[in-house]
Amino acid sequence: MTREDFVPVLLDFMHRYDRYLIAGHLNPDGDCIGAATAMALALQSMGKEAFVYFDGSTDGYTRMADLYPTLDLEESCALMDMKPCAFILLDAADDHRLGKGKDLPGKAVDFICIDHHVQTNVYARMTYAEEHACATCEILYHLFRIAGIPINRRMANALFMGIAFDTGGFRHTNTSASTYRIAGELIDMGADHKKILNQMYHTHSLKEMKILGEAYRKAKLYEDGILAAEMTRADFLKSGADPDEISGIVDRLAETSEALVTVFLRENAEGKIIISLRSKGKTDVSRVARQFGGGGHVPAAGCTHEGPILLAKEELLKAIRAEMQTEA
Ligand SMILES: [Mn+2]
């Protein structure tokens, strides 16, 4: 379906109901949070009630943009049980990517999805995907423009944050001339690019710096160009940090010149292993992540593992090597 074909479908969906619950994937990132914020504000400007649910914290992103407040699972269920609610899933399309909220769409009167990931297990009534878009926020930018939905300063900040996040600060291979043009348009609409980029990539607490130091200390480079580092809950506690508040370590590890594929494993508060993958070459790490129930893109992907952490590492290394073999 083309963008132009989808716009009337989206507009009809946005006009049809009175209240909407918007969600993104588990452990939401800058794109997913930016997209949900922009969509909630767009609906609000149309006189609708809009709510946002995530399984995971948005705390790391609040200093970059004025985010839409979020509900927890209990509040979301109560909301949907009380009055009819339509559901919008952003930056994820597969049924397992909603985490604890996976049953929420079942309570909705209608359900659409907008995403830029490769689709494997779609479950919305209508899924609109642009797999070549750098971010879900880029898709929303185009849809809003075509639909004539005004983008105010707060929405521009949210969309800019998402695009900046998913392109690694306009550096990843998914960045094109058009990405910069959209970013320029968003700056014209009021996006504070200096604040967002500085907060996203150049502002870290000393605690974060020390954790990064610990991650570098633990990193091991293998002969085939895989860089792997794992941090247990104890490692985090030693640095005085909450493992669920940490993000971005994998990108810093991947800056290592020798690393072709980087894998970072961390044990969260529940003992689950959160795995982030980065690839600088041809290796498609999203194919690796999908074997473990995760997803992502060729250069960046993620998944979770039941643990223990060393078993997760062993299985990941094996899967990455197998994936590297397929390109050889
Ligand atoms: Mn995204």
Coordinates of all heavy atoms in Angstrom, one line a residue, residues 247-305:
S247 N 21.0 2.6 28.7 CA 20.9 2.4 27.3 C 22.1 3.0 26.6 O 22.7 3.8 27.1 CB 19.6 2.9 26.7 OG 19.5 4.3 26.8
G248 N 22.3 2.6 25.3 CA 23.3 3.3 24.6 C 24.7 2.7 24.7 O 25.6 3.0 24.0
I249 N 24.9 1.7 25.7 CA 26.2 1.2 25.9 C 26.7 0.4 24.6 O 27.8 0.6 24.2 CB 26.2 0.2 27.1 CG1 26.0 1.0 28.4 CG2 27.5 -0.6 27.2 CD1 26.0 0.2 29.7
V250 N 25.8 -0.3 24.0 CA 26.2 -1.1 22.8 C 26.7 -0.2 21.7 O 27.7 -0.6 21.0 CB 25.0 -2.0 22.3 CG1 23.9 -1.1 21.7 CG2 25.5 -3.0 21.3
D251 N 26.2 1.0 21.5 CA 26.7 1.9 20.5 C 28.1 2.4 20.8 O 28.9 2.5 19.9 CB 25.7 3.1 20.3 CG 24.4 2.6 19.7 OD1 24.4 2.0 18.7 OD2 23.3 2.8 20.4
R252 N 28.3 2.6 22.1 CA 29.7 3.1 22.4 C 30.7 1.9 22.3 O 31.8 2.1 21.8 CB 29.7 3.6 23.9 CG 28.7 4.7 24.1 CD 29.1 6.0 23.4 NE 30.3 6.6 23.8 CZ 30.5 7.3 24.8 NH1 29.5 7.7 25.6 NH2 31.7 7.8 25.2
L253 N 30.3 0.7 22.6 CA 31.1 -0.5 22.4 C 31.4 -0.7 21.0 O 32.6 -1.0 20.6 CB 30.5 -1.7 23.0 CG 30.4 -1.8 24.5 CD1 29.5 -3.0 24.9 CD2 31.8 -2.0 25.2
A254 N 30.4 -0.5 20.1 CA 30.5 -0.7 18.7 C 31.5 0.3 18.0 O 31.9 0.1 16.9 CB 29.2 -0.7 18.0
E255 N 31.8 1.4 18.7 CA 32.8 2.4 18.2 C 34.2 1.8 18.1 O 35.1 2.4 17.5 CB 32.8 3.6 19.0 CG 31.5 4.5 18.8 CD 31.4 5.6 19.8 OE1 32.4 5.9 20.5 OE2 30.3 6.3 19.8
T256 N 34.4 0.7 18.8 CA 35.7 0.0 18.8 C 36.1 -0.3 17.3 O 35.3 -1.0 16.6 CB 35.6 -1.3 19.6 OG1 35.1 -1.0 20.9 CG2 37.0 -1.9 19.8
S257 N 37.3 0.1 16.9 CA 37.6 0.0 15.5 C 37.6 -1.5 15.0 O 37.2 -1.8 13.9 CB 38.9 0.6 15.2 OG 40.0 0.0 15.9
E258 N 38.0 -2.4 15.9 CA 38.2 -3.8 15.4 C 36.8 -4.6 15.4 O 36.7 -5.6 14.8 CB 39.1 -4.6 16.4 CG 40.5 -4.1 16.5 CD 40.7 -3.1 17.6 OE1 39.7 -2.4 18.0 OE2 41.8 -2.9 18.1
A259 N 35.8 -4.0 15.9 CA 34.5 -4.7 16.1 C 33.7 -4.7 14.8 O 33.4 -3.6 14.3 CB 33.7 -4.1 17.2
L260 N 33.4 -5.8 14.2 CA 32.5 -5.9 13.1 C 31.1 -6.1 13.6 O 30.1 -5.5 13.1 CB 32.9 -7.1 12.2 CG 34.2 -7.0 11.5 CD1 34.5 -8.3 10.7 CD2 34.3 -5.8 10.6
V261 N 30.9 -7.0 14.5 CA 29.6 -7.2 15.2 C 29.8 -7.1 16.7 O 30.8 -7.6 17.2 CB 29.0 -8.6 14.8 CG1 27.8 -8.9 15.6 CG2 28.8 -8.8 13.4
T262 N 28.9 -6.3 17.3 CA 29.0 -6.1 18.7 C 27.8 -6.6 19.4 O 26.7 -6.4 18.9 CB 29.2 -4.6 19.0 OG1 30.3 -4.1 18.3 CG2 29.3 -4.3 20.5
V263 N 28.0 -7.3 20.5 CA 26.9 -7.8 21.2 C 27.1 -7.4 22.7 O 28.1 -7.7 23.3 CB 26.6 -9.4 21.1 CG1 27.9 -10.2 21.3 CG2 25.5 -9.9 21.9
F264 N 26.0 -6.8 23.3 CA 26.1 -6.4 24.7 C 24.9 -7.1 25.4 O 23.8 -7.0 24.9 CB 26.0 -4.9 24.8 CG 26.0 -4.4 26.2 CD1 27.1 -4.7 27.1 CD2 24.9 -3.8 26.8 CE1 27.1 -4.2 28.4 CE2 24.9 -3.4 28.1 CZ 26.0 -3.6 28.9
L265 N 25.2 -7.8 26.5 CA 24.2 -8.5 27.2 C 24.2 -7.9 28.6 O 25.2 -7.7 29.3 CB 24.6 -10.0 27.3 CG 24.8 -10.7 26.0 CD1 26.3 -10.8 25.8 CD2 24.3 -12.2 26.1
R266 N 23.0 -7.6 29.1 CA 22.8 -7.2 30.5 C 21.7 -7.9 31.2 O 20.6 -8.1 30.6 CB 22.7 -5.7 30.5 CG 21.4 -5.2 29.9 CD 21.3 -3.6 29.9 NE 20.3 -3.1 29.0 CZ 19.1 -2.9 29.4 NH1 18.7 -3.1 30.6 NH2 18.2 -2.4 28.5
E267 N 21.9 -8.1 32.5 CA 20.9 -8.8 33.2 C 20.0 -7.8 33.9 O 20.5 -6.9 34.5 CB 21.6 -9.6 34.3 CG 20.7 -10.5 35.1 CD 21.4 -11.2 36.3 OE1 22.6 -10.9 36.6 OE2 20.9 -12.2 36.8
N268 N 18.7 -7.8 33.6 CA 17.8 -6.8 34.2 C 17.3 -7.2 35.6 O 17.7 -8.3 36.1 CB 16.6 -6.5 33.3 CG 15.5 -7.5 33.2 OD1 15.6 -8.5 33.9 ND2 14.5 -7.3 32.4
A269 N 16.5 -6.4 36.2 CA 16.0 -6.6 37.6 C 15.3 -7.9 37.7 O 15.4 -8.5 38.8 CB 15.1 -5.4 38.0
E270 N 14.7 -8.4 36.7 CA 13.9 -9.7 36.8 C 14.8 -10.9 36.5 O 14.3 -12.0 36.4 CB 12.7 -9.7 35.8 CG 11.7 -8.7 36.2 CD 10.8 -8.3 35.1 OE1 10.9 -8.8 34.0 OE2 10.0 -7.4 35.3
G271 N 16.1 -10.6 36.2 CA 17.0 -11.7 35.9 C 17.0 -12.1 34.4 O 17.7 -13.1 34.0
K272 N 16.2 -11.4 33.6 CA 16.2 -11.7 32.2 C 17.4 -11.0 31.5 O 17.9 -10.0 32.1 CB 14.9 -11.1 31.5 CG 13.7 -11.9 31.9 CD 12.8 -12.0 30.6 CE 11.7 -13.1 30.8 NZ 10.8 -12.7 31.9
I273 N 17.8 -11.6 30.4 CA 19.0 -11.0 29.8 C 18.6 -10.2 28.6 O 17.9 -10.7 27.6 CB 20.0 -12.1 29.3 CG1 20.2 -13.2 30.4 CG2 21.3 -11.5 28.8 CD1 20.8 -12.6 31.7
I274 N 18.9 -8.9 28.6 CA 18.5 -8.0 27.5 C 19.7 -7.9 26.6 O 20.9 -7.6 27.1 CB 18.2 -6.5 28.1 CG1 17.3 -6.6 29.3 CG2 17.7 -5.6 26.9 CD1 15.9 -7.1 29.0
I275 N 19.5 -8.2 25.3 CA 20.6 -8.3 24.4 C 20.5 -7.2 23.3 O 19.5 -7.1 22.7 CB 20.7 -9.7 23.8 CG1 21.0 -10.7 24.9 CG2 21.7 -9.8 22.7 CD1 20.3 -12.1 24.7
S276 N 21.6 -6.5 23.1 CA 21.6 -5.5 22.0 C 22.7 -5.9 21.0 O 23.8 -6.3 21.4 CB 21.9 -4.1 22.5 OG 21.1 -3.8 23.6
L277 N 22.4 -5.8 19.7 CA 23.4 -6.2 18.7 C 23.6 -5.1 17.7 O 22.7 -4.3 17.3 CB 22.8 -7.4 17.9 CG 22.6 -8.7 18.7 CD1 21.4 -9.5 18.2 CD2 23.9 -9.5 18.6
R278 N 24.9 -4.9 17.2 CA 25.2 -3.9 16.2 C 26.1 -4.5 15.2 O 27.0 -5.4 15.5 CB 25.9 -2.7 16.9 CG 25.1 -1.9 17.8 CD 23.9 -1.2 17.1 NE 23.2 -0.3 18.1 CZ 22.1 -0.8 18.8 NH1 21.7 -2.0 18.7 NH2 21.5 0.1 19.6
S279 N 25.9 -4.1 14.0 CA 26.8 -4.7 12.9 C 27.3 -3.5 12.0 O 26.5 -2.6 11.7 CB 26.0 -5.6 12.0 OG 26.6 -5.9 10.8
K280 N 28.6 -3.5 11.7 CA 29.1 -2.5 10.9 C 29.3 -3.0 9.5 O 29.6 -2.2 8.6 CB 30.5 -2.0 11.4 CG 30.3 -1.0 12.6 CD 31.5 -0.3 13.0 CE 32.5 -1.2 13.7 NZ 33.4 -0.5 14.7
G281 N 29.2 -4.3 9.3 CA 29.4 -4.8 7.9 C 28.2 -5.4 7.3 O 27.1 -4.8 7.5
K282 N 28.3 -6.5 6.6 CA 27.1 -7.1 5.9 C 26.3 -7.9 6.8 O 25.1 -8.3 6.5 CB 27.6 -7.9 4.7 CG 28.1 -7.1 3.5 CD 28.5 -8.0 2.4 CE 29.8 -8.7 2.7 NZ 30.3 -9.6 1.7
T283 N 26.8 -8.3 8.0 CA 26.1 -9.2 8.9 C 24.7 -8.6 9.3 O 24.7 -7.5 9.8 CB 26.9 -9.6 10.1 OG1 28.2 -10.0 9.7 CG2 26.2 -10.6 10.9
D284 N 23.6 -9.4 9.0 CA 22.3 -8.9 9.4 C 22.0 -9.3 10.8 O 21.5 -10.5 11.0 CB 21.3 -9.5 8.3 CG 19.9 -9.0 8.6 OD1 19.6 -8.4 9.6 OD2 19.0 -9.3 7.7
V285 N 22.2 -8.4 11.8 CA 21.9 -8.9 13.1 C 20.4 -9.0 13.5 O 20.1 -9.6 14.5 CB 22.6 -7.9 14.2 CG1 24.1 -8.2 14.2 CG2 22.3 -6.5 14.0
S286 N 19.5 -8.5 12.6 CA 18.1 -8.7 12.9 C 17.7 -10.1 12.7 O 16.9 -10.7 13.4 CB 17.2 -7.8 12.0 OG 17.2 -8.3 10.7
R287 N 18.5 -10.8 11.8 CA 18.2 -12.3 11.6 C 18.7 -13.1 12.9 O 18.1 -14.1 13.2 CB 19.0 -12.8 10.4 CG 18.2 -12.4 9.1 CD 19.1 -12.6 7.9 NE 19.7 -13.9 7.8 CZ 19.2 -14.9 7.1 NH1 18.2 -14.7 6.2 NH2 19.7 -16.1 7.1
V288 N 19.7 -12.6 13.5 CA 20.2 -13.2 14.7 C 19.1 -13.0 15.8 O 18.7 -13.9 16.5 CB 21.6 -12.7 15.1 CG1 22.0 -13.3 16.5 CG2 22.6 -13.0 14.1
A289 N 18.7 -11.7 16.0 CA 17.8 -11.4 17.1 C 16.5 -12.1 16.9 O 15.9 -12.5 17.9 CB 17.6 -9.9 17.0
R290 N 16.0 -12.3 15.7 CA 14.7 -13.0 15.5 C 14.8 -14.4 15.9 O 13.8 -15.0 16.4 CB 14.3 -12.9 14.0 CG 13.6 -11.5 13.7 CD 12.7 -11.7 12.5 NE 13.4 -12.0 11.3 CZ 14.0 -11.1 10.6 NH1 14.0 -9.8 10.9 NH2 14.6 -11.4 9.5
Q291 N 16.0 -15.1 15.9 CA 16.1 -16.4 16.4 C 15.8 -16.5 17.9 O 15.5 -17.6 18.4 CB 17.5 -17.0 16.1 CG 17.8 -17.2 14.7 CD 19.3 -17.5 14.5 OE1 19.9 -18.2 15.3 NE2 19.9 -17.0 13.4
F292 N 15.9 -15.4 18.6 CA 15.7 -15.3 20.0 C 14.4 -14.6 20.3 O 14.2 -14.0 21.4 CB 16.9 -14.7 20.7 CG 18.2 -15.6 20.5 CD1 19.0 -15.3 19.4 CD2 18.5 -16.6 21.4 CE1 20.1 -16.1 19.2 CE2 19.6 -17.3 21.2 CZ 20.5 -17.1 20.1
G293 N 13.5 -14.4 19.3 CA 12.2 -13.8 19.6 C 12.3 -12.3 19.5 O 11.3 -11.6 19.9
G294 N 13.4 -11.7 19.1 CA 13.5 -10.3 19.0 C 13.4 -9.7 17.6 O 12.7 -10.4 16.8
G295 N 13.9 -8.6 17.3 CA 13.8 -8.0 16.0 C 14.7 -6.8 15.9 O 15.5 -6.5 16.7
G296 N 14.6 -6.1 14.7 CA 15.4 -4.9 14.5 C 15.7 -4.8 13.0 O 14.8 -5.1 12.2
H297 N 16.9 -4.3 12.8 CA 17.3 -4.0 11.4 C 18.6 -4.6 11.1 O 19.3 -5.1 12.0 CB 17.4 -2.5 11.2 CG 16.1 -1.8 11.7 ND1 15.0 -1.6 10.9 CD2 15.8 -1.2 12.9 CE1 14.1 -1.0 11.5 NE2 14.5 -0.7 12.7
V298 N 19.1 -4.5 9.9 CA 20.4 -5.1 9.5 C 21.5 -4.6 10.5 O 22.2 -5.5 11.0 CB 20.8 -4.9 8.0 CG1 22.2 -5.4 7.7 CG2 19.8 -5.5 7.1
P299 N 21.7 -3.3 10.7 CA 22.8 -2.9 11.5 C 22.5 -2.9 13.0 O 23.5 -2.7 13.8 CB 23.1 -1.5 11.0 CG 21.8 -1.0 10.5 CD 21.0 -2.2 10.1
A300 N 21.3 -2.9 13.5 CA 21.0 -2.8 14.9 C 19.7 -3.6 15.2 O 18.7 -3.5 14.6 CB 20.7 -1.3 15.2
A301 N 19.9 -4.5 16.3 CA 18.7 -5.3 16.6 C 18.8 -5.6 18.1 O 19.9 -5.4 18.8 CB 18.8 -6.6 15.8
G302 N 17.8 -6.3 18.6 CA 17.8 -6.6 20.1 C 16.9 -7.8 20.3 O 16.0 -8.1 19.5
C303 N 17.1 -8.5 21.5 CA 16.2 -9.6 21.9 C 16.4 -9.8 23.4 O 17.3 -9.2 24.0 CB 16.6 -10.8 21.1 SG 18.3 -11.3 21.1
T304 N 15.6 -10.7 23.9 CA 15.8 -11.1 25.3 C 16.0 -12.6 25.4 O 15.7 -13.3 24.5 CB 14.6 -10.6 26.2 OG1 13.4 -11.2 25.6 CG2 14.5 -9.1 26.3
H305 N 16.6 -13.0 26.5 CA 17.0 -14.4 26.7 C 16.7 -14.7 28.2 O 16.8 -13.8 29.1 CB 18.5 -14.6 26.4 CG 18.9 -16.0 26.4 ND1 19.1 -16.7 27.5 CD2 19.3 -16.8 25.3 CE1 19.6 -18.0 27.2 NE2 19.7 -18.0 25.9

